Amino acid sequence: LWGVGISNVRDIIVAELFAPETAFKEDTVPVTVRVRNRGLAGETASVQLKLNNDIIATKQITLDSAGEQVVVMQFAPTKPGEFTLSAGVEPREDEAIRDNNVSTQYLRVVDGKLKVLYVEQSPRWEFHYLQAQLTRDRRVAAKFVLVEADPAVTGDNSPFLRTFPDSREELFKYDLIIIGDVAPSVLGSQGPALLEEYT
């Protein structure tokens, strides 16, 4: 029997890229890149992150003798839009395969606030905690329907609404709806059907 082929294959493979599919402008985006190598342990390589064709981060690594390693990177997008996020290593002259050095994924960057509606019966502990978190986050514009709230706290410039939205147009402007411990009657006559359509 005669063996045929290359006995000492040298190759870098950017196997996988993990990142959120949606991010906020100017927020730090964590990225994890899985890099494999064959026959190149101890060699150095430069992992590049690109947003479309622009290099946004670079990290120098030493290729692991185990043949696989995880590279943690991050960046902060500066403009909104839809992009291709890619992680890659420039192919070496001595690599057996030169088209497996890049991994890509879709990324949407938004520049605006996430609109949240939170409906609750009474100001219980969970309500106080979530209200504090939602109002503190600069990326969130929150509105609250608190059934047992004093009517005086509601108004045009208040985060508190008098009633649950009763039209599709009003309800569907929210990106997220949180329903607490409330009776179905709190949602009004149209509320349950609108929520079913929303989901």
Side-chain angles (χ1 to χ4, degrees):
L1 296 176
W2 295 87
V4 178
I6 302 171
S7 60
N8 186 23
V9 176
R10 297 163 72 84
D11 195 19
I12 297 175
I13 306 104
V14 179
E16 291 173 300
L17 165 65
F18 300 99
E21 290 190 354
T22 304
F24 286 94
K25 176 187 170 184
E26 297 178 355
D27 267 11
T28 299
V29 179
V31 180
T32 303
V33 184
R34 193 178 301 278
V35 179
R36 296 178 184 153
N37 83 85
R38 289 185 289 182
L40 291 169
E43 299 281 344
T44 59
S46 179
V47 181
Q48 289 184 342
L49 277 184
K50 290 184 179 181
L51 209 54
N52 289 348
N53 295 318
D54 298 325
I55 298 173
I56 51 175
T58 303
K59 191 166 191 177
Q60 198 79 10
I61 62 170
T62 299
L63 297 171
D64 201 317
S65 58
E68 181 172 307
Q69 63 204 94
V70 172
V71 182
V72 178
M73 305 177 74
Q74 64 183 29
F75 74 100
T78 58
K79 58 184 179 182
E82 297 185 357
F83 304 92
T84 297
L85 176 66
S86 63
V89 175
E90 283 294 322
R92 295 166 51 106
E93 291 294 332
D94 57 355
E95 281 193 72
I97 304 169
R98 305 184 68 188
D99 60 359
N100 59 0
N101 289 42
V102 177
S103 185
T104 64
Q105 76 160 59
Y106 166 82
L107 176 69
R108 182 169 72 101
V109 179
V110 295
D111 183 17
K113 295 194 174 186
L114 188 70
K115 295 180 177 65
V116 177
L117 175 64
Y118 180 19
V119 185
E120 188 59 88
Q121 179 72 30
S122 62
R124 56 196 182 117
W125 183 89
E126 289 87 348
F127 174 81
H128 286 295
Y129 176 79
L130 277 175
Q131 182 192 27
Q133 294 298 317
L134 292 171
T135 53
R136 187 180 299 133
D137 196 325
R138 67 174 179 81
R139 301 164 301 181
V140 174
K143 291 288 187 179
F144 306 91
V145 176
L146 186 60
V147 178
E148 296 181 8
D150 186 336
V153 303
T154 63
D156 292 337
N157 297 320
S158 170
F160 290 91
L161 303 177
R162 290 185 178 87
T163 59
F164 187 80
D166 60 358
S167 70
R168 188 181 190 279
E169 179 184 3
E170 282 298 308
L171 187 65
F172 278 56
K173 72 182 181 182
Y174 294 101
D175 302 300
L176 173 66
I177 300 172
I178 304 171
I179 304 294
D181 185 15
V182 295
S185 59
V186 169
L187 306 178
S189 59
Q190 302 296 320
L194 288 172
L195 277 177
E196 185 176 355
E197 185 183 351
Y198 181 90
T199 58

